[in-house]
Amino acid sequence: MSVDPHFQRVALIGFGLIGGSIARAAKLQGLAGEIVTTARSEKTRARVLELGIVDKVVATNAEAVKDADLVILCIPVGACGPVAQEIAAHLKPGAVISDVGSVKGAVVKDMAPHLPKNVHFVPAHPVAGTEHSGPDSGFAELFINRWCILTPPEGTDAEATAHLRAFWAAMGAKVEVMTPDHHDLVLAITSHLPHLIAYTIVGTADELAQVTESEVIKFSAGGFRDFTRIAASDPTMWRDVFLANKDAVLEMLGTFTEDLAKLTRAIRRGDGEALFDHFTRTRAIRRGIVEIGQDSAAADFGRQHGQLDKKQS
Ligand SMILES: NC(=O)C1=CN([C@@H]2O[C@H](COP(=O)(O)OP(=O)(O)OC[C@H]3O[C@@H](n4cnc5c(N)ncnc54)[C@H](O)[C@@H]3O)[C@@H](O)[C@H]2O)C=CC1
Ligand SMILES: O=C(O)C(=O)Cc1ccc(O)cc1
């Protein structure tokens, strides 16, 4: 049986890349009767109003969640606990409370104790994004054919989880449910460690005395250029991710360091076979990912649901 993805009043706490993308996709697909968002600065409130995507922009989180049927925290993970505390007394009984944080264990631990018993807490993580942030960076197609992982605590109302699942699916996402700990371990290797490596290598290149700034830019057409994109991601967001997912990141970093040492040894010893075998294995992994055909599937969704061909401004 299909579940109605619609929520009457949706409150988005934070209107950056993810909040702005949810607002655009939900509006386009008619998933909300009304969308309210918080923007803390006068400048951002004016810009969000100018964009004309949401129905109401307010200055405080407490005001935004009033009478909301779905509340989504679209803010750095370190801010989720304090914001849960701030909004708790103002939540509508029966509302679904969610987030989009890149780490789940810490967010659940920080938010859950503050939330009243009469709301449904269904944490979420859309595994989709870019290096950009702020109110102008969002776009309606961001979630198409991307995973959205839900991590409802044990005992969560199944109907609430199904309702949020339908909401994400209607924005184009493929939805999966897992535990917060499993999520954090998987994301540590697939997302958090790659960002740490990018932040490291771009910093290292910058510090090398013999590589002048102009040479880094001049020769950055190679692999380095891809790293600079990732390393341009929001500092506040990523500081919070590494602090919140410390254990899993350190565990993966340990394994990564061992594997790096193996490749270092192969280079030192001139062991071409070891290098070739390793690179052959990793090439097959990339080909496997590309064969899943995310781009063509995204285009199919756009055609079926209309109006998603153009990037929203
Ligand atoms: N950037 C990405 O590619 C992805 C980010 N995420 C997660 O989404 C969340 C938001 O990230 P982005 O949208 O990229 O960030 P962003 O920086 O574009 O937007 C965050 C917004 O939250 C606001 N904010 C911060 N603290 C607040 C508070 N206490 N009350 C109200 N508003 C507050 C900021 O002013 C900003 O407008 C993070 O938790 C991140 O881990 C998840 C998937 C992808
Ligand atoms: O820009 C990129 O390549 C990303 O990897 C975006 C991203 C950042 C954080 C997430 O939790 C999920 C996706």
Side-chain angles (χ1 to χ4, degrees):
M1 204 187 70
S2 72
V3 177
D4 184 1
H6 189 270
F7 284 87
Q8 183 44 41
R9 185 171 169 140
V10 175
L12 301 170
I13 308 287
F15 195 94
L17 172 71
I18 303 297
S21 295
I22 293 173
R24 288 165 169 94
K27 188 179 166 83
L28 207 56
Q29 299 298 338
L31 305 179
E34 190 187 10
I35 304 177
V36 186
T37 192
T38 318
R40 293 177 304 172
S41 75
E42 183 58 51
K43 188 169 160 246
T44 312
R45 281 197 293 280
R47 180 59 190 147
V48 175
L49 276 177
E50 201 173 67
L51 287 168
I53 301 158
V54 302
D55 301 283
K56 207 169 161 193
V57 188
V58 296
T60 70
N61 298 327
E63 198 183 340
V65 304
K66 197 170 166 286
D67 297 324
D69 303 286
L70 171 63
V71 175
I72 310 181
L73 274 57
C74 306
I75 57 179
V77 291
C80 288
V83 168
Q85 186 168 23
E86 194 185 325
I87 61 175
H90 309 276
L91 295 169
K92 177 180 175 180
V96 174
I97 315 304
S98 190
D99 75 305
V100 294
S102 304
V103 180
K104 296 272 63 89
V107 166
V108 171
K109 192 167 74 52
D110 291 351
M111 285 183 67
H114 300 295
L115 298 176
K117 295 260 179 294
N118 61 4
V119 301
H120 306 291
F121 182 33
V122 188
H125 175 206
V127 189
T130 72
E131 71 279 23
H132 301 299
S133 49
D136 288 289
S137 61
F139 53 102
E141 301 84 354
L142 179 62
F143 310 114
I144 296 176
N145 209 38
R146 302 286 158 183
W147 288 105
C148 181
I149 299 170
L150 306 185
T151 65
E154 242 181 60
T156 303
D157 179 51
E159 257 182 57
T161 304
H163 198 174
L164 189 68
R165 173 190 274 270
F167 180 80
W168 277 104
M171 292 192 290
K174 304 177 286 182
V175 184
E176 194 151 302
V177 172
M178 62 178 74
T179 66
D181 286 353
H182 187 68
H183 166 279
D184 290 351
L185 206 59
V186 172
L187 270 292
I189 186 67
T190 57
S191 176
H192 306 168
L193 203 54
H195 277 79
L196 190 68
I197 292 165
Y199 281 123
T200 310
I201 198 167
V202 174
T204 306
D206 190 46
E207 279 161 24
L208 284 175
Q210 69 271 35
V211 180
T212 68
E213 210 174 300
S214 65
E215 276 177 313
V216 168
I217 291 161
K218 184 171 162 191
F219 298 116
S220 69
F224 185 73
R225 192 184 175 84
D226 296 339
F227 283 121
T228 61
R229 183 188 75 76
I230 299 277
S233 301
D234 188 66
T236 304
M237 170 188 156
W238 283 99
R239 175 203 62 197
D240 283 10
V241 167
F242 290 115
L243 294 179
N245 202 21
K246 177 179 164 180
D247 292 345
V249 169
L250 289 179
E251 187 180 333
M252 293 304 167
L253 203 49
T255 309
F256 173 79
T257 312
E258 283 170 23
D259 290 344
L260 188 61
K262 281 184 207 155
L263 287 180
T264 308
R265 206 163 45 240
I267 293 169
R268 192 182 299 117
R269 290 180 179 165
D271 186 350
E273 198 182 328
L275 294 174
F276 186 82
D277 287 352
H278 188 92
F279 301 158
T280 303
R281 190 157 60 88
T282 55
R283 172 190 261 188
I285 292 167
R286 167 69 186 177
R287 288 185 175 163
I289 293 171
V290 173
E291 270 165 24
I292 293 169
Q294 289 191 327
D295 290 348
S296 61
D300 284 349
F301 182 93
R303 273 192 293 277
Q304 283 161 22
H305 292 76
Q307 300 165 23
L308 284 176
D309 290 341
K310 274 187 270 130
K311 187 177 182 296
Q312 303 275 299
S313 62

